[in-house]
Amino acid sequence: MVGFRSWAAGLGFGIVLGIVSGWTTIPLLGQTDSGKTSATSFQQLLAAGEYPAAIQIASAAAPETRDSMLADLARSQLASGNRRAAGFSASALSEYTARQSLVADLGNGNQGNSIPAGQGNSIPAGQGGGITLQSFTPLMNLIQQTIDSDGWTGVGSGDGTMMPFLAGVWIDSSNVLHRIDDQHKNLLGIPLDGQAKPSPSRADSLGQPQRMLSLVALERAVSLHLAEGSSIPADLFFLGGLYDVHQVVLQTESGDLLLAGPAGAWRFDDNGVAVNVATGRPVLRLDDLVVTLRTAVEKEGRFGCSITPRKKNLAALQSFLADTELAGKEWRNQLHQTVGLQDISVFGIDSDTHAARTIVVADHHMKLLGMGIQPVGAEMDSFFDQTVAAFDGTPKPMDVARWWFTLGDFQIDASPQHDYFEIGGPLVRVLSETEMINRDGERLHTGKSVGATARFARDFTTHFDSIADRYTVYRQLENVFKLAVVGSLIHQERLAERAGWDLGCFTGAKSTSGQMLYDPPRYLTPNKVQSV
């Protein structure tokens, strides 16, 4: 990492989103005049209900006594009926196990009532705090009961229907990935015409186009909801509306780690993707952040997917090409039937996560563009236009075009102390290889890419931004890549360790202490797809 960017480049981001759901962050960084106050005075303030002064005393206390003061503060606030303040005080404890234990105690003392999950939209919490497949049912039931209750099939007289998040693809009972036709795109059966109401996010009201997000405060807020069993508010799940990360900032004195970038109000588009209202860019997601961070820590950031033709089908393809006398449409249809299904594999990350689904869908869609099934745009020709369509007769190719996504030529500039980092440059590029196939259907790697195969990869990389503006899935892929870079940066530079943050519920390592871990939303996993 080279170069230096002064702190002036990192200023002007408005407010540091301590807890991005819009709640007031506990002001634990202040000091009393003397910096020393007796425990007796602290207890007297609690007894009198003078919580602001008690908070100041706790903030000035030595680290070995601060947590016990905060615990007493939380219990006193709960006894006075201020459940929300009690939850925040508990979440401010520095030691993870003690923090989780106290939050659980507070929940048990509330006769089953949960600490409020915050205002606005929320993400249903399944087992372990993530969305499970089963959690869509109560959500859909709630929608049917509250939105035009007579307009749904099954519960009313209308013809409204809904289904779990489609996002441009669907997976059948055999786990085969399919594209969704344009007329079936709507999320949950609710018409979305591009004018959907933006999210009622508290963070949106700040009016700052650039924001900083505290990862430490984010993790503590998520941890609080997990311990309580309450929903993850949308402002947390969508990271306060951030849709890119330009800077990563380590604050060792305050023990914090910040992400800075553009943000704003968001809405759901026609495919159910949360996008920024002004730019249409997909916003960053909590589950992608946690998944890529865990991959960086546990697997050095290595993950990906592969869509692979089956060996026996490739052998059949060679026989077909050698013997067929078909031409035109009949040749094309028989070719498609001969190649048949291809197998999808995901490595490095759980295949049923949103990040995995994103890289699979983007990879498959890129092949659709290559073969001209989806319009690639006027700025470049598809692989199909450069090859098959150029033949007057029936082509008999003996090689296979292979394309895949990888990180682009981005760069990270660091301050001399390696506590301030700027991420810039293109994040996504397409690589290619021209493979040969022998009679047994084995793919022979050549290590080279030639002709139209190489041109398509080069053109896709060159025009990535214009293609991504047309197809949102590539911006989602870009978000996953950006968070993967952030996760690797945090791991390689030991930023969490230097901030005194143990990753808390974001860690993937199981603990004998019984700590609760954030479980990302889970989706049906495609493992097969029809050949393009």
Side-chain angles (χ1 to χ4, degrees), residues 211-213 238-245 259-264 282-284:
R211 298 179 191 158
M212 280 187 170
L213 169 70
F238 292 118
L239 306 189
L242 281 175
Y243 59 88
D244 200 356
V245 177
L259 303 184
V283 296
L284 300 174

Side-chain angles (χ1 to χ4, degrees), residues 202-214:
R202 276 279 298 168
D204 299 339
S205 65
L206 298 174
Q208 299 292 339
Q210 302 285 330
R211 298 179 191 158
M212 280 187 170
L213 169 70
S214 165

Side-chain angles (χ1 to χ4, degrees), residues 133-248:
L133 294 174
Q134 293 79 8
S135 69
F136 284 113
T137 299
L139 172 62
M140 292 189 291
N141 290 340
L142 177 63
I143 292 173
Q144 288 179 332
Q145 294 166 6
T146 57
I147 301 177
D148 190 19
S149 57
D150 291 331
W152 304 94
T153 59
V155 296
S157 57
D159 57 1
T161 59
M162 67 173 72
M163 61 190 67
F165 296 88
L166 298 176
V169 297
W170 66 281
I171 303 165
D172 66 18
S173 59
S174 299
N175 286 6
V176 177
L177 181 70
H178 300 272
R179 287 187 299 131
I180 295 173
D181 296 332
D182 289 341
Q183 64 268 29
H184 296 134
K185 281 186 177 180
N186 289 345
L187 169 70
L188 300 180
I190 302 174
L192 298 176
D193 58 2
Q195 303 298 319
K197 183 179 179 181
S199 67
S201 166
R202 276 279 298 168
D204 299 339
S205 65
L206 298 174
Q208 299 292 339
Q210 302 285 330
R211 298 179 191 158
M212 280 187 170
L213 169 70
S214 165
L215 289 181
V216 176
L218 172 69
E219 182 273 322
R220 290 188 177 185
V222 171
S223 176
L224 175 65
H225 287 285
L226 296 185
E228 184 16 63
S230 55
S231 300
I232 305 295
D235 272 342
L236 292 181
F237 189 81
F238 292 118
L239 306 189
L242 281 175
Y243 59 88
D244 200 356
V245 177
H246 294 166
Q247 290 91 9
V248 179

Side-chain angles (χ1 to χ4, degrees), residues 135-431:
S135 69
F136 284 113
T137 299
L139 172 62
M140 292 189 291
N141 290 340
L142 177 63
I143 292 173
Q144 288 179 332
Q145 294 166 6
T146 57
I147 301 177
D148 190 19
S149 57
D150 291 331
W152 304 94
T153 59
V155 296
S157 57
D159 57 1
T161 59
M162 67 173 72
M163 61 190 67
F165 296 88
L166 298 176
V169 297
W170 66 281
I171 303 165
D172 66 18
S173 59
S174 299
N175 286 6
V176 177
L177 181 70
H178 300 272
R179 287 187 299 131
I180 295 173
D181 296 332
D182 289 341
Q183 64 268 29
H184 296 134
K185 281 186 177 180
N186 289 345
L187 169 70
L188 300 180
I190 302 174
L192 298 176
D193 58 2
Q195 303 298 319
K197 183 179 179 181
S199 67
S201 166
R202 276 279 298 168
D204 299 339
S205 65
L206 298 174
Q208 299 292 339
Q210 302 285 330
R211 298 179 191 158
M212 280 187 170
L213 169 70
S214 165
L215 289 181
V216 176
L218 172 69
E219 182 273 322
R220 290 188 177 185
V222 171
S223 176
L224 175 65
H225 287 285
L226 296 185
E228 184 16 63
S230 55
S231 300
I232 305 295
D235 272 342
L236 292 181
F237 189 81
F238 292 118
L239 306 189
L242 281 175
Y243 59 88
D244 200 356
V245 177
H246 294 166
Q247 290 91 9
V248 179
V249 183
L250 170 66
Q251 294 185 333
T252 53
E253 292 185 2
S254 59
D256 212 347
L257 189 56
L258 310 174
L259 303 184
W266 50 268
R267 63 174 179 85
F268 289 111
D269 68 7
D270 289 354
N271 287 324
V273 178
V275 299
N276 179 267
V277 170
T279 65
R281 294 280 297 267
V283 296
L284 300 174
R285 295 168 54 113
L286 173 66
D287 54 346
D288 290 345
L289 169 67
V290 174
V291 165
T292 52
L293 180 58
R294 288 173 178 170
T295 300
V297 172
E298 298 171 0
K299 301 180 181 179
E300 297 297 326
R302 296 182 179 90
F303 67 92
C305 73
S306 176
I307 302 177
T308 308
R310 297 175 176 179
K311 179 180 176 180
K312 64 176 183 179
N313 292 350
L314 291 180
L317 171 65
Q318 292 293 68
S319 298
F320 166 73
L321 293 175
D323 301 334
T324 185
E325 296 181 357
L326 297 176
K329 185 176 181 179
E330 292 181 346
W331 174 86
R332 184 191 65 187
N333 292 341
Q334 186 61 43
L335 180 74
H336 183 266
Q337 182 177 343
T338 302
V339 178
L341 289 172
Q342 296 192 31
D343 294 315
I344 299 172
S345 61
V346 175
F347 60 90
I349 54 177
D350 290 344
S351 60
D352 56 356
T353 59
H354 178 268
R357 187 182 178 107
T358 296
I359 63 175
V360 168
V361 173
D363 189 38
H364 180 247
H365 193 274
M366 183 249 291
K367 273 75 169 180
L368 297 177
L369 294 181
M371 296 309 297
I373 297 174
Q374 290 284 304
V376 71
E379 59 268 25
M380 60 180 286
D381 292 327
S382 70
F383 174 82
F384 181 87
D385 291 333
Q386 298 179 50
T387 55
V388 178
F391 283 85
D392 294 330
T394 300
K396 294 179 172 60
M398 297 300 291
D399 56 28
V400 170
R402 177 173 174 245
W403 303 297
W404 66 95
F405 287 110
T406 187
L407 284 171
D409 296 324
F410 70 96
Q411 70 178 44
I412 300 177
D413 293 330
S415 65
Q417 296 77 23
H418 280 221
D419 55 6
Y420 175 79
F421 306 85
E422 285 198 0
I423 305 172
L427 271 181
V428 182
R429 68 182 299 186
V430 177
L431 296 182

Side-chain angles (χ1 to χ4, degrees), residues 77-88:
Q77 289 170 322
L78 181 67
S80 69
N82 196 338
R83 294 162 52 211
R84 176 170 294 236
F88 287 134

